[in-house]
């Protein structure tokens, strides 16, 4: 059976590609076809989004009528990139990028030419330039070398040395430098190695970003472990430690943030999808709802130097209505905007507020936004919005005084307008009368 080429690519919940370790996005184009006449089983890939990374070419379906599908062509499989020939015909047709790939089929190795047809308005020259640059850089080989080095370093370190530490010859067979000259030579080699390490670390920002990618992966594993191991924790010290580590995980950062340079005309669309993936962790910690201001601070902190404006954030959030993501932007009547999960239930919050205002002290003195914030575990500003929503639904009544807003359980539906003194047993009205008269002096 022939191997399927190109292989399928894994996507996130928002439709963005799941990046490989140390993989970085470089360029994004829209309205792109991927064609190959030499492979009969090659799928029909029309009018999609193509994302060039340091490791792959990822094609994602942009169709709104069906679920997103994606394929990926590893740059390691590319043998040759054909130079485009400029002609009068090419000036009036869609730009094309042709490259040759090798893949296994039927137990053997065969090659074919794949064509990228760019029908959109993106800067295809920048895409082609970065395609050449990433293919020549061969970042995937660095990953393989690092894995091989990690595997062999433990065995070589534990194995016996061919010569003693005080021998005249080194392990490479060269004469060991001894005395003052040996010390000077050793110092010189140390400085040369240090200088080489510094040059390798700072000559390419992608190398630094690849290290950050490893930290992000490690942080995600730690977060999953925390959520699974501390789900039933009751110790105050354990809960506090969990919250501290979760706050630290939020500050780790995004390894490959969407930028205007890489995404071009698709900047806000891809930013919207990346933001939808990012807010899942803060929403889980906050209980399903978080203010837009908090997300703006967390998202910019995670992006590092690639900051975005408030207008870009709001525009990215507004695009969630057009794509299938599990989050949404919500605006309260007061104008406060929050981001919430689509599975978030207002009925559950109302039930908790009803339980809070039904307590004896709350029946007598009411509750404030701060009281509700402590119970719900959210900010007082958001707690006030929930209380106002409960008031609009007839659950609460409010009292405005110089001390601020205080909310009480709404007893008016239980009062009979024809007999105001009629009190039915086992009603909230009867419970309120008992709570108010309990502390009254006799």
């Amino acid at each position: 059976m022939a191997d399927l080429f190109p292989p399928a690519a894994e996507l996130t919940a928002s439709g963005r590609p799941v990046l490989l370790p140390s993989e970085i996005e470089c360029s994004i184009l829209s309205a792109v076809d991927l064609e190959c006449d030499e492979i009969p089983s090659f799928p029909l890939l029309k009018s999609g989004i193509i994302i060039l990374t340091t490791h792959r070419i990822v094609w994602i379906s942009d169709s709104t009528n069906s679920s997103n599908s994606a394929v990926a062509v590893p740059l390691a499989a590319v043998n040759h990139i054909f130079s485009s020939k400029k002609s009068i015909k090419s000036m009036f047709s869609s730009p094309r990028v042709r490259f040759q790939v090798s893949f296994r089929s039927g137990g053997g190795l065969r090659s074919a030419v794949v064509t990228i047809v760019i029908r959109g308005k993106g800067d295809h020259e920048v895409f082609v330039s970065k395609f050449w640059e990433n293919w020549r850089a061969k970042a995937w080989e660095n990953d393989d070398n690092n894995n091989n080095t990690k595997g062999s370093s433990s065995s070589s370190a534990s194995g016996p040395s061919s010569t003693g530490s005080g021998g005249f010859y080194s392990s490479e067979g060269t004469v060991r430098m001894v005395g003052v000259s040996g010390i000077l030579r050793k110092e010189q080699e140390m400085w040369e190695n240090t200088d080489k390490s510094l040059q390798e670390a700072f000559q390419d920002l992608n190398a630094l970003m690849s290290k950050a990618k490893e930290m992000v992966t490690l942080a995600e594993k730690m977060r999953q472990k925390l959520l699974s191991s501390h789900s039933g924790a009751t110790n105050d010290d354990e809960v506090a430690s969990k919250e501290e580590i979760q706050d630290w995980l939020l500050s780790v950062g995004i390894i490959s943030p969407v930028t205007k340079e890489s995404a071009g005309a698709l900047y806000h669309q891809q930013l919207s999808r990346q933001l939808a993936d990012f807010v899942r962790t803060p929403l889980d910690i906050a209980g399903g709802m978080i203010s837009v201001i908090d997300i703006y601070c967390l998202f910019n902190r995670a992006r590092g130097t690639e900051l975005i404006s408030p207008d870009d954030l709001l525009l990215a959030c507004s695009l969630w209505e057009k794509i299938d993501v599990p989050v949404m932007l919500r605006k309260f009547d007061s104008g406060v905007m929050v981001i919430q999960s689509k599975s978030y239930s207002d009925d559950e919050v109302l039930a908790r507020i009803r339980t809070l205002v039904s307590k004896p002290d709350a029946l007598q003195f009411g509750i404030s936004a701060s009281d509700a914030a402590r119970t719900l575990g959210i900010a007082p500003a958001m707690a006030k919005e929930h209380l106002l929503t409960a008031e609009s639904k007839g659950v609460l009544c409010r009292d405005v005084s110089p001390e601020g807003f205080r909310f009480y359980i709404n007893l008016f539906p239980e009062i009979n307008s024809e007999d105001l003194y009629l009190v039915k047993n086992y009603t909230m009205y009867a419970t309120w009368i008992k709570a108010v008269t309990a502390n009254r002096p006799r």
Side-chain angles (χ1 to χ4, degrees):
M1 181 178 179
D3 296 336
L4 184 64
F5 186 87
E10 184 180 0
L11 299 178
T12 64
S14 66
R16 283 183 51 78
V18 177
L19 298 180
L20 303 173
S22 72
E23 186 179 15
I24 302 169
E25 294 181 14
C26 300
S27 184
I28 304 176
L29 292 176
S30 63
V32 177
D33 301 345
L34 211 59
E35 302 175 350
C36 182
D37 298 333
E38 301 178 9
I39 304 177
S41 61
F42 199 88
L44 184 64
L45 307 176
K46 297 291 184 181
S47 188
I49 297 174
I50 195 166
I51 300 178
L52 173 66
T53 72
T54 53
H55 292 59
R56 299 178 296 170
I57 294 177
V58 183
W59 184 93
I60 303 175
S61 172
D62 197 23
S63 175
T64 57
N65 298 327
S66 60
S67 59
N68 285 343
S69 60
V71 297
V73 178
L75 295 186
V78 177
N79 297 329
H80 180 70
I81 302 176
F82 298 95
S83 300
S84 59
K85 298 180 180 180
K86 294 184 179 180
S87 62
I88 297 179
K89 182 179 179 180
S90 64
M91 296 175 60
F92 298 96
S93 61
S94 300
R96 297 172 180 264
V97 182
R98 298 170 62 248
F99 59 93
Q100 187 179 41
V101 296
S102 296
F103 60 98
R104 293 196 171 275
S105 177
L109 190 66
R110 59 170 297 187
S111 62
V113 176
V114 180
T115 304
I116 300 175
V117 184
I118 305 172
R119 304 188 186 278
K121 298 181 180 180
D123 193 344
H124 68 279
E125 294 182 356
V126 175
F127 178 86
V128 174
S129 176
K130 291 185 178 181
F131 185 15
W132 276 94
E133 180 182 348
N134 291 347
W135 181 59
R136 289 168 176 167
K138 298 183 179 180
W140 57 91
E141 292 185 354
N142 295 333
D143 298 342
D144 296 338
N145 293 335
N146 292 335
N147 294 333
N148 293 335
T149 303
K150 292 177 182 178
S152 61
S153 60
S154 58
S155 60
S156 60
S158 60
S161 177
S162 58
T163 59
S165 60
F168 188 70
Y169 292 92
S170 65
S171 59
E172 292 80 13
T174 58
V175 179
R176 187 185 301 276
M177 301 298 293
V178 295
V180 177
S181 61
I183 296 175
L184 295 176
R185 176 67 178 274
K186 187 176 181 179
E187 289 290 334
Q188 180 66 23
E189 291 179 354
M190 184 181 67
W191 281 109
E192 289 178 356
N193 292 334
T194 303
D195 182 65
K196 182 179 179 181
S197 299
L198 289 175
Q199 290 179 358
E200 292 177 352
F202 291 101
Q203 68 181 356
D204 190 1
L205 289 178
N206 290 341
L208 296 177
M209 295 178 67
S210 66
K211 294 298 181 183
K213 177 68 176 181
E214 296 178 3
M215 294 301 298
V216 172
T217 305
L218 176 61
E220 179 64 20
K221 292 181 180 179
M222 292 178 61
R223 185 184 73 84
Q224 295 293 342
K225 185 176 181 180
L226 281 172
L227 294 177
S228 60
S229 62
H230 291 282
S231 58
T234 57
N235 189 291
D236 294 339
D237 294 337
E238 291 182 356
V239 174
S241 176
K242 176 183 176 181
E243 292 177 352
E244 290 177 359
I245 297 179
Q246 286 177 336
D247 292 340
W248 173 77
L249 293 179
L250 289 176
S251 65
V252 171
I254 301 174
I255 176 58
S256 185
V258 174
T259 63
K260 291 182 179 180
E261 179 183 1
S262 63
L266 299 177
Y267 172 64
H268 288 102
Q269 182 192 100
Q270 293 300 312
L271 181 66
S272 177
R273 294 182 182 275
Q274 189 173 67
L275 180 62
D277 291 331
F278 173 81
V279 298
R280 287 186 301 170
T281 299
L283 283 176
D284 291 341
I285 297 175
M289 178 182 291
I290 191 170
S291 67
V292 173
I293 297 176
D294 291 338
I295 284 295
Y296 177 73
C297 297
L298 292 173
F299 193 53
N300 265 336
R301 183 174 66 175
R303 287 175 64 90
T305 58
E306 299 293 343
L307 304 181
I308 64 172
S309 66
D311 292 338
D312 288 339
L313 182 76
L314 290 178
L315 183 56
C317 293
S318 64
L319 293 177
W320 287 340
E321 298 179 357
K322 301 179 181 179
I323 58 179
D324 186 18
V325 293
V327 293
M328 59 179 290
L329 178 66
R330 177 179 178 182
K331 186 176 182 179
F332 287 100
D333 295 336
S334 62
V336 175
M337 290 185 291
V338 298
I339 294 174
Q340 73 175 44
S341 173
K342 288 184 177 179
S343 60
Y344 183 82
S345 174
D346 285 338
D347 295 336
E348 181 180 351
V349 177
L350 289 177
R352 296 177 64 182
I353 292 177
R354 185 188 293 273
T355 302
L356 177 62
V357 296
S358 300
K359 295 181 179 179
D361 291 341
L363 287 174
Q364 186 173 1
F365 304 106
I367 62 172
S368 64
S370 300
D371 299 331
R374 284 191 292 269
T375 300
L376 300 176
I378 58 178
M382 292 184 58
K384 182 179 178 181
E385 297 299 329
H386 284 301
L387 294 175
L388 292 174
T389 301
E391 180 195 25
S392 66
K393 294 185 177 182
V395 178
L396 303 179
C397 294
R398 63 170 147 167
D399 176 58
V400 183
S401 67
E403 297 180 356
F405 284 57
R406 295 199 71 83
F407 293 84
Y408 297 83
I409 188 71
N410 184 13
L411 301 176
F412 290 101
E414 298 183 4
I415 298 177
N416 189 352
S417 59
E418 298 180 357
D419 189 355
L420 299 178
Y421 298 98
L422 177 63
V423 179
K424 298 180 180 180
N425 294 330
Y426 308 107
T427 62
M428 186 58 63
Y429 187 24
T431 306
W432 174 78
I433 293 177
K434 292 179 182 178
V436 172
T437 58
N439 297 327
R440 181 177 298 177
R442 296 173 183 263

